[in-house]
Amino acid sequence: MKIVTWNVRVFNKVHKQKEMKIFLKKHKISLIAIVEHRVQSNKEREIINKCAPGWSWCSNSSDTEKGRIWILWDTTSIQFTLIEKHAQYIHGIVENSCSSKQIAFTAIYGLHTIAHRCDMWEALRSIDSQLTNSWLIMGDFNAIRDIEDRVNGTVVQENEIKDFRSLMEDCSLNELGTMGRDYTWTNSHVYSRIDRALVNAHWMINMPPVQVHVMDPQFSDHSPLCIELEAEPEHKGRLFKFFNCLAEHPDFDSVIRDSWNKENRNIKDIWNNLKSVKVALKSLNKKEFTSTTSKVQQLREELASIQAQIGPPQ
C-alpha cells in the first residue's frame, strides 16, 4: 500500500492531468492527496475521472473558496473513511483491504501566513486528543521546523518555527526519516523543506519502520512524498513471549546492556532500543530454550534407558 501527498499547483492544465495518470499507474499508488490544485468544484469530478478512473475521492472544496485538497483512493486495495474536513486538511481512516490494520490519516495543506496556520495547529491538537490508534499526518505544511529547512532565502526567524515545534511537542509527534531529495520545494533559487510526514507515539510503537521517499517533482515545484506500508502476511510467525527463564539465564544482564546502547532522548529512541532488545532476547531464547518439550522428552527417555540398564537390586 503506497500513500502519496503532492502539491500540484494549478491542476487545470491538461498535461499535468495526463502525467498524474501515468504517475499513479507507474508507481502503483493506492491513495494520493493532491493539494493546492485550484480546480473549481464544478470541474472536480471530470478532472479526477481523467486522472484516476474508477477511484473514489473526497474534497474540501465546500470548506474553502478555492479548491485546496483532494484525497483519491483505489478501492480495490484500500478504503478511506472521511471523518473531518477543514480548510487546511482532510482527516479520516485508511484501511488496507489485505489486512484489518487501520491508521488515521490527515492530508495537510497549510496556509501561507503564520496567523492563518494557527487554526490548523489547534485543530490538529484536538484530533490528537481523541485518537487511540496510529496517526500519519502528511502533506505541505507551508511551515518549516528547523533553521536548516531553508537555504538561499530570508533568514529563518524563531516565530516561523515555534508553532510547529510546539505542536510536535504537545502531541508527541515524530517526523519520519526520508530518502531521496533533501528539500521538497524550490523556485530554482530558494530551497526549502515544507512538505513532511509526522507520526504519533502509537505509530512509533506499533508500526513497522518506514521511510518517506521524496520523489522527483516532475511537472510541479514540489516533490511528492511517498510511504509504502506492507500488507500483513496471512500466516504470521509466532509472537515473541518473555518467559522468566530468560531473566534467570547468566547472560541476560549482558544481553540487555549490549542491546540497549542508545540514549532515550525521545519516543523514537525508546522504540529503537526496545526493537534491539527484542531481537537479542529472541536470539537467546532460540539458542538456549528452543524445543524445550522435545528436550525434556529426550531426557526422560535417556533416564528410562539408564534405569533399565541398572536393573533391580540383587
Side-chain angles (χ1 to χ4, degrees):
M1 177 174 70
K2 290 183 179 179
I3 297 176
V4 170
T5 59
W6 197 358
N7 181 316
V8 185
R9 187 161 55 90
V10 191
F11 199 55
N12 296 288
K13 305 294 184 180
V14 174
H15 75 277
K16 292 186 178 182
Q17 299 163 20
K18 290 181 178 179
E19 290 296 326
M20 179 62 73
K21 184 176 182 179
I22 294 171
F23 173 83
L24 295 176
K25 184 176 181 180
K26 177 182 178 180
H27 296 285
K28 299 179 181 179
I29 306 302
S30 305
L31 178 148
I32 184 169
I34 301 174
V35 307
E36 205 184 6
H37 51 77
R38 297 191 181 181
V39 174
Q40 294 181 355
S41 59
N42 62 343
K43 295 287 186 180
E44 288 181 326
R45 184 176 300 276
E46 175 187 350
I47 292 177
I48 289 173
N49 286 339
K50 289 180 181 178
C51 300
W55 285 28
S56 293
W57 60 279
C58 63
S59 168
N60 73 336
S61 295
S62 59
D63 297 272
T64 180
E65 295 179 1
K66 295 181 180 179
R68 298 189 188 279
I69 307 173
W70 291 337
I71 292 184
L72 292 63
W73 65 95
D74 180 1
T75 54
T76 62
S77 59
I78 67 167
Q79 182 60 44
F80 177 76
T81 303
L82 174 66
I83 294 178
E84 182 183 353
K85 294 190 296 180
H86 183 279
Q88 300 182 73
Y89 63 77
I90 294 179
H91 174 71
I93 298 294
V94 175
E95 181 174 356
N96 193 329
S97 300
C98 298
S99 71
S100 58
K101 185 177 289 293
Q102 296 181 342
I103 63 167
F105 173 66
T106 306
I108 296 290
Y109 177 67
L111 295 179
H112 289 82
T113 68
I114 295 173
H116 286 147
R117 287 193 296 269
C118 288
D119 183 51
M120 178 181 71
W121 304 133
E122 289 307 312
L124 292 175
R125 285 185 175 90
S126 177
I127 292 175
D128 173 70
S129 67
Q130 302 172 50
L131 276 180
T132 57
N133 55 345
S134 299
W135 186 22
L136 170 65
I137 316 164
M138 191 160 136
D140 177 6
F141 288 82
N142 261 317
I144 59 176
R145 196 192 71 174
D146 298 299
I147 295 175
E148 298 79 12
D149 286 343
R150 184 167 66 221
V151 296
N152 296 340
T154 57
V155 177
V156 176
Q157 304 295 323
E158 174 65 23
N159 64 335
E160 292 184 74
I161 62 180
K162 65 177 183 179
D163 291 340
F164 203 162
R165 289 185 171 183
S166 178
L167 172 80
M168 295 186 67
E169 182 177 347
D170 293 346
C171 299
S172 298
L173 300 175
N174 285 274
E175 182 175 1
L176 291 177
T178 62
M179 58 180 177
R181 292 172 172 258
D182 293 329
Y183 298 95
T184 65
W185 173 86
T186 182
N187 61 2
S188 298
H189 172 66
V190 179
Y191 293 81
S192 67
R193 183 182 177 85
I194 54 178
D195 307 81
R196 59 211 329 140
L198 310 178
V199 294
N200 64 352
H202 193 282
W203 176 293
M204 297 297 296
I205 295 171
N206 294 283
M207 297 293 288
V210 64
Q211 282 188 306
V212 181
H213 184 192
V214 184
M215 307 173 78
D216 292 336
Q218 300 186 51
F219 52 87
S220 175
D221 54 356
H222 284 256
S223 292
L225 304 184
C226 177
I227 69 168
E228 183 171 6
L229 300 176
E230 296 292 340
E232 291 187 356
E234 293 184 4
H235 303 286
K236 301 179 183 178
R238 290 184 179 181
L239 293 175
F240 172 70
K241 296 182 179 180
F242 182 86
F243 296 102
N244 289 337
C245 58
L246 283 172
E248 296 170 359
H249 192 278
D251 294 338
F252 177 77
D253 289 346
S254 60
V255 166
I256 298 295
R257 281 195 302 268
D258 293 342
S259 304
W260 198 283
N261 54 11
K262 296 180 180 179
E263 296 180 3
N264 297 316
R265 295 170 297 181
N266 50 45
I267 289 292
K268 186 175 182 179
D269 287 345
I270 296 175
W271 177 67
N272 286 329
N273 276 327
L274 288 173
K275 290 283 187 180
S276 178
V277 168
K278 177 182 174 182
V279 171
L281 289 180
K282 272 190 170 183
S283 178
L284 179 63
N285 183 63
K286 183 177 181 180
K287 177 182 177 182
E288 300 291 344
F289 302 105
T290 298
S291 304
T292 303
T293 301
S294 61
K295 289 179 180 178
V296 171
Q297 181 60 31
Q298 181 180 351
L299 291 173
R300 283 175 175 168
E301 292 173 357
E302 292 176 0
L303 176 61
S305 177
I306 294 173
Q307 290 175 333
Q309 293 174 15
I310 294 174
Q314 301 295 326

